[in-house]
Amino acid sequence: MDLDPDAAYRALAARDARFDGQLYVGVTSTGIYCRPVCRVRTPQQRHCRFFGSAAQAEAAAFRPCLKCRPEIAPGPGLAWSVMDASRTLARQAAQALDAQAGSGDVPSLAALAERLGVSDRHLRRIFATEHGVTPLQYLQTRRLLLAKQLLTDSALPVAQVALASGFRSLRRFNACFVQRYRMSPSRLRGAAARSAGSGAVAPETVALTLSYRTPYDQAALLRFVAQRAIPGIEQVEGATIRRSLRAGSVAAAAGWIEASFLPEQARVQLRFAAALAPASARLVALARRWLDLDAAPQTIDAALVALPGAPGIRLPGSLDAFELAVRAVLGQQVTVAAARTLASRLVARFGTPLATPWDDITRAFPAPERLADAQPEHIAELGIVRTRAQALVALAQAWPTIAALIERPGEPQALVDALTTLPGIGAWTAHYIAMRAAGWPDAFPPGDVAVLKALRRRDAALTPRTALAQAEAWRPWRAYAVLRLWNSLSPAP
């Protein structure tokens, strides 16, 4: 954060949630660092040191607070902008390292730099400037915080926690944990169990907690997901979303996940199958994008103040980019309900059975390999237009290339360009996939009929060209503007 110590202390004293995940305070009298929303007694300013990330605080020898739990704080968020290219690249590199935290491999900075289009020397320099630590120091902090979260929230054995957090050796994990946090993993597990009382989860389930910034228009996001939920794959019940995950989408094994909103705490409780535990780091990163937990709502709402809708709009993402892309193709030129029906038939024909804790979640979405080998006429038998069936097969066959572009931070236009080269996929579908699968906040599906209809409620003479010009004022949050306009056409709940 670009705040002087006096301003940072005022934010701390106010416990301002807008700075959560962007500001951390280390207290020299205790050796502990906290989030600005921590409810412990506010320390005296002379004992405070302020940091822009948890990694900076840990590099300065502070250990994380056990009460406010820095590991569950929302991320700093990232606008897709070239106004400050070095800062944007450094944050994109951090996001890539977050996703790698659970891997036991030491990441290749040269490969990461190549993905970002810079030299590894330049990447090291801008990373240190933005985050105050080296990439490997940052990665070590993310791994330790993930381990702390798994030890606190889950019943996984310590050895499994070590592996899921990216440590190849239990001995190395114990030594690193004690050195950094001045307590053993088993001691932290014991303290967490005493604090939780009888609320521990079953061993076959992993439970984690994630935080977000308020306001959060939870009702709009749940309604959006519920309207598009495929029977047997996804279900919304109250403030909870449950769904299956096919093998290969997040982890090598198939599994299930449940996300429950706790609005009074500004948190989301995640539960997922223990089979997905080895991919905990990747799953957490995807879940944050799925529910858009790292958004900065005040900034976004300020840019969209003239548009209808409640504050705290979120951009629903996807845990399975291939599933989202297939659903986008099926949704071309049909209603949401019709697209859902077609997707349900596709799952019934090509999906696989899956055991979950719920009777309504029974199947996993088809894998790209299954659809890549399918004959278009067999897909068309489900009531899907033949040209659309051919588009699905082409998408599945090209998926390794498309998936790599989705995972490449900061290059949404390259993804759009690659998608539009496939037969049956136009600019609208490509932007929709980039918006939800890659989390591109500035995606703006061209020629969207619903957007134009919503805008014409305010100006009946509006043309598509003037609508596009008007949307320039919403950058880089045009995807959020699209959601607000779509939601304005839905009946009031």
Side-chain angles (χ1 to χ4, degrees):
M1 288 294 293
D2 297 323
L3 292 178
D4 62 61
D6 290 337
Y9 188 76
R10 288 193 292 271
L12 172 67
R15 294 187 171 87
D16 193 329
R18 289 174 293 183
F19 295 93
D20 192 17
Q22 304 184 61
L23 179 69
Y24 296 86
V25 56
V27 183
T28 56
S29 56
T30 63
I32 292 171
Y33 73 94
C34 297
R35 299 157 61 190
V37 295
C38 191
R39 290 296 170 180
V40 300
R41 186 175 65 181
T42 305
Q44 297 180 19
Q45 186 172 358
R46 61 191 177 91
H47 294 311
C48 296
R49 289 183 60 191
F50 296 98
F51 305 94
S53 70
Q56 289 179 3
E58 295 200 7
F62 291 95
R63 61 188 188 276
C65 176
L66 298 181
K67 294 185 180 295
C68 67
R69 302 184 57 195
E71 70 271 15
I72 70 173
L78 178 64
W80 298 71
S81 169
V82 295
M83 294 182 63
D84 188 344
S86 293
R87 170 169 288 186
T88 300
L89 281 171
R91 292 188 179 181
Q92 288 169 351
Q95 287 181 332
L97 292 175
D98 287 343
Q100 287 184 279
S103 168
D105 299 328
V106 177
S108 167
L109 293 182
L112 178 57
E114 184 178 358
R115 283 174 56 192
L116 296 171
V118 296
S119 68
D120 56 343
R121 179 179 179 183
H122 182 61
L123 177 60
R124 293 173 193 272
R125 183 176 61 80
I126 62 175
F127 197 98
T129 300
E130 172 65 16
H131 300 288
V133 292
T134 67
L136 291 182
Q137 285 176 314
Y138 179 91
L139 181 63
Q140 185 82 307
T141 297
R142 298 311 304 164
R143 285 175 170 168
L144 286 170
L145 287 178
L146 174 62
K148 180 179 179 297
Q149 191 170 15
L150 290 169
L151 289 166
T152 303
D153 290 344
S154 79
L156 286 177
V158 173
Q160 289 188 33
V161 169
L163 293 174
S165 304
F167 290 88
R168 291 184 172 181
S169 160
L170 178 60
R171 184 176 180 180
R172 168 64 179 157
F173 168 61
N174 284 324
C176 191
F177 200 93
V178 170
Q179 179 186 23
R180 186 71 68 88
Y181 294 160
R182 300 169 213 173
M183 67 170 68
S184 67
S186 57
R187 180 183 165 194
L188 175 64
R189 166 62 60 79
R194 289 192 296 274
S195 176
S198 60
V201 297
E204 65 274 11
T205 299
V206 181
L208 297 176
T209 304
L210 307 175
S211 290
Y212 56 83
R213 300 180 185 90
T214 57
Y216 191 119
D217 192 352
Q218 169 190 317
L221 181 131
L222 290 170
R223 189 165 60 249
F224 186 94
V225 174
Q227 290 171 346
R228 293 158 177 80
I230 304 173
I233 296 287
E234 193 169 35
Q235 178 193 43
V236 177
E237 182 177 334
T240 297
I241 307 173
R242 303 182 180 112
R243 62 158 300 125
S244 63
L245 290 171
R246 64 176 174 85
S249 58
V250 177
W256 54 264
I257 186 170
E258 177 186 74
S260 299
F261 284 89
L262 307 173
E264 67 283 354
Q265 302 175 35
R267 292 182 178 182
V268 171
Q269 183 73 41
L270 280 187
R271 292 197 316 127
F272 52 89
L276 304 178
S280 294
R282 176 167 170 76
L283 186 55
V284 167
L286 286 173
R288 299 202 70 92
R289 191 164 72 186
W290 175 38
L291 304 174
D292 201 8
L293 300 182
D294 294 332
Q298 287 83 9
T299 303
I300 297 168
D301 291 340
L304 309 180
V305 67
L307 296 178
I313 187 72
R314 289 306 201 273
L315 179 60
S318 175
L319 288 172
D320 184 348
F322 179 69
E323 176 188 323
L324 187 280
V326 169
R327 291 165 65 172
V329 173
L330 292 175
Q332 292 173 347
Q333 299 176 332
V334 298
T335 65
V336 170
R340 180 181 175 182
T341 298
L342 295 175
S344 179
R345 294 174 186 171
L346 191 76
V347 167
R349 173 72 65 87
F350 296 99
T352 54
L354 178 68
T356 75
W358 314 288
D359 294 337
D360 295 327
I361 308 295
T362 58
R363 297 187 73 79
F365 198 82
E369 298 79 12
R370 182 77 188 278
L371 292 186
D373 293 336
Q375 296 298 319
E377 54 268 24
H378 293 163
I379 298 176
E381 290 172 356
L382 304 175
I384 298 170
V385 177
R386 183 175 177 82
T387 55
R388 207 152 294 147
Q390 292 171 337
L392 291 178
V393 173
L395 175 67
Q397 291 173 345
W399 189 249
T401 300
I402 300 299
L405 290 171
I406 289 175
E407 294 300 321
R408 187 176 297 170
E411 295 189 28
Q413 192 56 52
L415 171 62
V416 169
D417 292 343
L419 285 167
T420 52
T421 63
L422 299 177
I425 297 183
W428 188 97
T429 305
H431 272 256
Y432 183 81
I433 294 171
M435 179 172 79
R436 295 196 56 204
W440 185 20
D442 200 36
F444 193 72
D448 188 277
V449 175
V451 166
L452 193 60
K453 180 179 178 180
L455 289 173
R456 281 177 173 164
R457 287 185 171 182
R458 303 189 308 163
D459 181 359
L462 199 70
T463 66
R465 178 174 294 182
T466 53
L468 189 62
Q470 191 177 112
E472 289 296 308
W474 307 327
R475 305 193 88 165
W477 315 115
R478 290 186 300 176
Y480 292 89
V482 168
L483 281 173
R484 278 205 178 194
L485 292 168
W486 283 351
N487 291 343
S488 72
L489 297 177
S490 300

